[in-house]
């Protein structure tokens, strides 16, 4: 259509809450001392303003248009309107009249008027085919006026009357907008009782100018308003005060959208937050009880692991027996309920100490970093590897008998090396369930709760936006968002150990306390190299590798003969020709750091490759 509609606040769902709500407000005070000052709003015109590309100022060839408006307020507060439009000269093809349905009332509310019974006739009473449309807070009536000298518009308006301190007040935007300049607009208001006071505003929407003229008629029985030369974007607001009992009615108010109103705190929304608080506290209590099982087990059973993890074997030699026969990778997963890079690194070192891998430090070439060759060995015949350990050996070597550490992370070495490492991780998680330390895989439990938390958060965001747009209860939606965020953040605490798992965890913590104490350094001479070598992978888990590598090097220097130390140093770790056992601490620390970095980088590379493949799709 060719006129411009007024705008109301709009909210963009799925992005954010964007408020477009800046409607002008004009104030009309009764000049005759009315007790209630009338607040008359002025939304933007619903037809083109003067000077638009379609409608301009009236020229000499344009018709002279007048409008006589007769309004009658009945005892029920319904305003009956009849407008007579007269055209002197050639009438326009279409004349458009906008009847305001919504106006600003106060800082929080809009006032709504119920317009009904719209009908247009000619001078002989024949109904004209006028188009009536509800658009942007107004009823827009398109009147076909070609060839007419006069057209009559009738309608009814509800919601104009309201009780005030000293009587009844009728408030209405008599003229919302025209499509053409109207030379004279003459408005008369009748009611069951004579008026006591009246007021009017006219002009452009933001104008606070009084109308051209207003009076109470020759016998003070009617309210009369006159406005000359109304441009298409002008409006005429009228207010008439009557004695008590003149008419019934209250203003029809709707709350205007705003962030403050949309997120209004009410007893209902406050109650929802109270319920949420109880739920969160209850959930936290359950989590504390679940985690408390570990704390109670630590207090009762940690002492069972706080001693030398050895048993007497053949010929009185001490044999390493970790608490509950837990391997380093399993201990790391049990402690923090995650398979970390340190768990995999400690497992590689444990396989070397036990005789399944030999670590050979390569000669240091000029301007190159240190590197190692990993040699796969058969290991002791009496031992059986865990499934996760077999998978780790397969990830490192594949079908190769040896491999350089620096080549593990190279793109051309093995395209599925990251996937093989992930299978090791998955098997370690399965160990947690197979050994009955957890009912379900910790990784899967965290994933399920994280997914649930993100889903609840997304639902809460959508619900909050919908509530903000259509209601004043958006505060309730925020409660769902908070609950979802709490679930997501708390997902890491959801994996719960079984009673057996807590007991093993307590023994493990006792073992850690023993390894971190000076008491662990009292192994008998001649057996220290073997025992301290077995301790070293666990020291990686407990972040004490530097101290134990120093202890192991010192023990080897003292307990091993020069022939045993020549070249090879230890049975599972050898150095280049210039290498000495005194260098062991620096070498093993460098190895741990290098292997950790390689595994970390391959995992990052896998994530990047997955992202690139998804982009190509």
């Amino acid at each position: 259509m060719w006129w411009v509609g007024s705008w109301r606040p709009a909210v963009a769902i799925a992005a954010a809450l964007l408020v477009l709500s800046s409607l002008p407000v004009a104030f009309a005070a009764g000049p005759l001392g009315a007790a209630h000052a009338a607040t008359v709003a002025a939304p933007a015109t619903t037809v083109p303003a003067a000077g638009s590309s379609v409608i301009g100022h009236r020229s000499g060839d344009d018709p002279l248009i007048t409008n006589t408006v007769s309004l009658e307020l009945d005892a029920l507060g319904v305003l009956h309107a009849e407008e007579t439009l007269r055209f002197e000269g050639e009438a326009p093809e279409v004349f458009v009249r906008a009847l305001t349905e919504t106006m600003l009332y106060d800082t929080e509310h809009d006032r709504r008027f119920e317009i009904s019974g719209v009908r247009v006739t000619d001078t002989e009473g024949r109904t004209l085919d006028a188009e009536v449309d509800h658009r942007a807070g107004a009823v827009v009536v398109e009147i076909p006026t070609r060839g007419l000298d006069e057209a009559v518009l009738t309608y009814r308006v509800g919601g104009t009357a309201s009780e005030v301190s000293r009587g009844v007040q009728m408030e209405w935007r008599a003229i919302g907008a025209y499509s053409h300049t109207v030379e004279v607009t003459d408005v008369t208001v009748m009611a069951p009782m004579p008026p006591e006071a009246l007021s009017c505003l006219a002009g452009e929407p933001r104008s606070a100018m009084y109308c051209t003229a207003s009076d109470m008629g020759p016998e003070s029985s009617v309210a009369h308003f006159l406005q000359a030369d109304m441009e298409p974007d002008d409006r005429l607001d009228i207010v008439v005060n009557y004695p008590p009992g003149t008419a019934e009615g209250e203003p029809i108010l709707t709350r205007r959208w705003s962030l403050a109103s949309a997120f209004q705190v009410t007893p209902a929304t406050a109650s929802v937050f109270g319920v949420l608080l109880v739920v969160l506290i209850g959930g936290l209590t359950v989590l504390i009880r679940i985690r408390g099982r570990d704390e109670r087990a630590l207090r009762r059973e940690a002492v069972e692991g706080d001693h030398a993890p050895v048993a007497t074997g053949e010929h009185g030699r001490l044999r390493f027996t970790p608490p509950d026969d837990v391997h380093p990778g399993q201990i790391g997963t049990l402690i923090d309920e995650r398979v970390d890079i340190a768990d995999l690194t400690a497992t590689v070192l444990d396989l070397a100490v036990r005789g399944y891998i030999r670590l050979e430090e390569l000669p240091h070439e000029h301007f190159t970093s240190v590197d190692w060759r990993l040699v796969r060995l058969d290991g002791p015949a009496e031992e059986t590897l865990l499934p996760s350990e077999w998978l780790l050996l397969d990830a490192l070597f594949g079908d190769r008998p040896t491999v350089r550490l620096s080549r593990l992370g190279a793109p051309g070495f093995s395209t599925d090396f990251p996937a093989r490492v992930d299978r090791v991780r998955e098997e370690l998680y399965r160990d947690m369930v197979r050994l009955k330390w957890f009912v379900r895989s910790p990784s899967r439990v965290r994933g399920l709760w994280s997914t649930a938390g993100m889903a609840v958060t997304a639902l809460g965001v959508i619900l909050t936006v919908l509530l903000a747009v259509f209601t004043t209860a958006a505060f309730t939606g925020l409660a769902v968002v908070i609950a979802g965020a709490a679930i997501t953040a708390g997902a890491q605490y959801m994996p719960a150990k079984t009673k057996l798992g807590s007991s093993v965890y307590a023994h493990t913590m006792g073992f850690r306390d023993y390894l971190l104490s000076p008491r662990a350094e009292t192994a008998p001479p001649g057996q220290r190299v073997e025992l301290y070598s077995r301790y070293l992978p666990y020291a990686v888990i407990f972040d004490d590798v530097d101290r134990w590598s120093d202890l192991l090097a010192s023990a080897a220097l003292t307990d091993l003969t020069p022939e045993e130390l020549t070249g090879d140093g230890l049975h599972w770790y050898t150095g280049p020709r210039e290498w000495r056992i005194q260098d062991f601490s620096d070498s093993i620390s460098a190895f741990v750091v290098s292997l950790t970095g390689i595994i970390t980088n391959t995992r990052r590379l896998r994530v990047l490759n997955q992202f690139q493949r998804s982009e190509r799709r």
Side-chain angles (χ1 to χ4, degrees):
M1 307 306 292
W2 46 263
W3 53 85
V4 180
S6 63
W7 54 273
R8 293 166 55 184
V11 179
I13 299 177
L17 302 177
L18 182 60
V19 185
L20 301 174
S21 55
S22 58
L23 297 174
V25 180
F27 178 78
L32 301 183
H36 175 71
T39 301
V40 183
T45 179
T46 56
V47 295
S52 71
S53 59
V54 179
I55 299 298
H57 294 285
R58 186 171 62 87
S59 67
D61 297 331
D62 291 334
L64 187 151
I65 306 174
T66 62
N67 186 19
T68 302
V69 183
S70 176
L71 304 176
E72 182 176 354
L73 181 68
D74 64 20
L76 298 178
V78 178
L79 195 64
H80 301 263
E82 180 178 292
E83 300 186 14
T84 302
L85 291 160
R86 295 182 177 87
F87 304 95
E88 295 184 15
E90 185 176 355
E93 183 174 351
V94 176
F95 185 88
V96 180
R97 173 76 166 85
L99 308 174
T100 301
E101 284 188 304
T102 303
M103 294 168 53
L104 287 176
Y105 183 76
D106 57 24
T107 57
E108 295 183 358
H109 298 86
D110 290 329
R111 183 169 185 173
R112 186 167 59 86
F113 301 98
E114 295 179 342
I115 299 174
S116 61
V118 178
R119 183 170 179 263
V120 182
T121 61
D122 59 14
T123 54
E124 297 180 0
R126 292 188 298 264
T127 301
L128 299 179
D129 188 18
E131 293 187 13
V132 180
D133 189 17
H134 295 262
R135 188 180 312 135
V139 174
V140 180
V141 185
E142 300 180 39
I143 306 172
T145 54
R146 175 185 287 273
L148 296 180
D149 295 328
E150 189 174 294
V152 179
L153 169 65
T154 58
Y155 53 90
R156 295 185 300 275
V157 185
T160 62
S162 59
E163 293 185 4
V164 293
S165 60
R166 295 183 181 179
V168 175
Q169 185 178 81
M170 191 284 296
E171 179 181 348
W172 166 239
R173 175 156 292 172
I175 304 299
Y178 291 132
S179 61
H180 295 72
T181 300
V182 176
E183 191 78 10
V184 176
T185 299
D186 193 329
V187 181
T188 302
V189 185
M190 295 174 289
M193 296 184 182
E196 293 184 338
L198 50 81
S199 179
C200 62
L201 288 176
E204 61 181 10
R206 295 181 182 272
S207 170
M209 298 292 293
Y210 205 76
C211 61
T212 303
S214 65
D215 58 61
M216 296 186 189
E219 299 179 359
S220 299
S221 59
V222 299
H224 179 232
F225 305 92
L226 181 70
Q227 181 63 23
D229 293 324
M230 290 193 69
E231 299 291 338
D233 59 344
D234 289 350
R235 99 291 191 204
L236 174 61
D237 295 330
I238 63 174
V239 177
V240 185
N241 283 33
Y242 292 98
T246 300
E248 300 177 0
E250 288 295 331
I252 305 171
L253 303 181
T254 57
R255 185 174 293 275
R256 188 182 311 110
W257 193 96
S258 67
L259 284 177
S261 62
F263 291 89
Q264 185 179 17
V265 179
T266 65
T269 55
S271 298
V272 171
F273 260 89
V275 171
L276 175 64
L277 184 62
V278 171
V279 171
L280 289 177
I281 291 177
L284 182 60
T285 302
V286 172
L287 285 175
I288 290 174
R289 289 187 61 85
I290 291 174
R291 304 300 294 182
R293 175 183 289 168
D294 292 343
E295 300 302 323
R296 291 190 296 273
L298 280 175
R299 289 194 297 269
R300 294 194 308 265
E301 304 179 42
V303 67
E304 298 180 18
D306 189 10
H307 55 78
V310 295
T312 304
E314 296 181 1
H315 310 295
R317 291 188 63 82
L318 298 179
R319 180 171 52 86
F320 176 72
T321 56
D324 302 287
D325 196 29
V326 179
H327 294 227
Q330 294 174 329
I331 280 186
T333 306
L334 178 65
I335 291 175
D336 60 7
E337 300 168 355
R338 297 177 183 273
V339 179
D340 298 326
I341 303 299
D343 304 337
L344 303 178
T345 303
T347 301
V348 172
L349 204 57
D350 186 56
L351 289 172
V353 170
R354 289 158 56 193
Y356 292 93
I357 300 175
R358 185 171 65 249
L359 306 179
E360 298 179 353
E361 185 175 335
L362 300 177
H364 300 181
E365 300 177 2
H366 194 50
F367 297 124
T368 60
S369 60
V370 63
D371 199 359
W372 291 263
R373 179 169 50 242
L374 279 61
V375 180
R376 185 166 185 173
L377 306 175
D378 292 334
E382 67 276 8
E383 284 193 18
T384 302
L385 290 175
L386 298 173
S388 59
E389 293 170 338
W390 280 115
L391 288 173
L392 184 55
L393 286 173
D394 181 62
L396 295 174
F397 294 98
D399 297 330
R400 304 172 181 84
T402 64
V403 63
R404 288 183 63 151
L405 183 64
S406 59
R407 293 288 297 162
L408 286 176
F413 172 74
S414 176
T415 57
D416 63 344
F417 178 67
R420 293 186 180 190
V421 172
D422 281 346
R423 285 195 288 270
V424 179
R425 292 166 52 86
E426 292 168 4
E427 188 59 39
L428 279 171
Y429 281 125
R430 278 193 286 268
D431 272 354
M432 300 298 102
V433 179
R434 178 179 58 82
L435 295 171
K436 299 182 180 180
W437 296 345
F438 290 86
V439 176
R440 298 178 184 85
S441 167
S443 176
R444 185 175 182 183
V445 171
R446 275 192 300 272
L448 289 174
W449 280 98
S450 295
T451 302
M454 288 185 287
V456 172
T457 302
L459 177 63
V461 171
I462 295 173
L463 179 62
T464 300
V465 172
L466 292 176
L467 290 174
V469 173
F470 298 108
T471 73
T472 60
F475 191 66
T476 305
L478 287 181
V480 181
V481 175
I482 293 172
I487 293 173
T488 304
Q492 58 180 322
Y493 302 111
M494 292 306 174
K497 298 181 184 68
T498 63
K499 184 177 181 179
L500 175 60
S502 294
S503 178
V504 175
Y505 171 78
H507 300 163
T508 299
M509 292 297 97
F511 177 40
R512 182 196 65 177
D513 293 341
Y514 173 77
L515 285 185
L516 296 179
S517 70
R519 293 179 290 119
E521 305 173 16
T522 59
Q527 301 182 49
R528 292 183 298 178
V529 173
E530 180 180 352
L531 288 177
Y532 291 176
S533 294
R534 295 301 302 271
Y535 292 168
L536 189 59
Y538 296 88
V540 173
I541 299 296
F542 300 139
D543 197 22
D544 197 27
V545 66
D546 291 338
R547 169 172 165 260
W548 276 105
S549 59
D550 285 336
L551 290 173
L552 178 55
S554 298
L557 190 62
T558 303
D559 295 356
L560 298 182
T561 65
E563 290 76 14
E564 291 173 316
L565 286 176
T566 300
D568 292 341
L570 303 174
H571 71 89
W572 57 273
Y573 192 99
T574 63
R577 176 174 300 179
E578 69 279 6
W579 186 86
R580 296 294 180 267
I581 192 64
Q582 291 89 337
D583 302 320
F584 175 76
S585 180
D586 292 336
S587 294
I588 203 65
S589 296
F591 175 80
V592 169
V593 170
S594 298
L595 180 57
T596 299
I598 287 172
I599 297 176
T600 301
N601 290 335
T602 53
R603 287 182 56 78
R604 290 174 180 169
L605 180 61
R606 185 186 186 196
V607 172
L608 178 61
N609 290 338
Q610 289 175 340
F611 175 76
Q612 290 175 343
R613 285 195 295 269
S614 64
E615 286 290 308
R616 286 195 293 268
R617 294 194 188 100

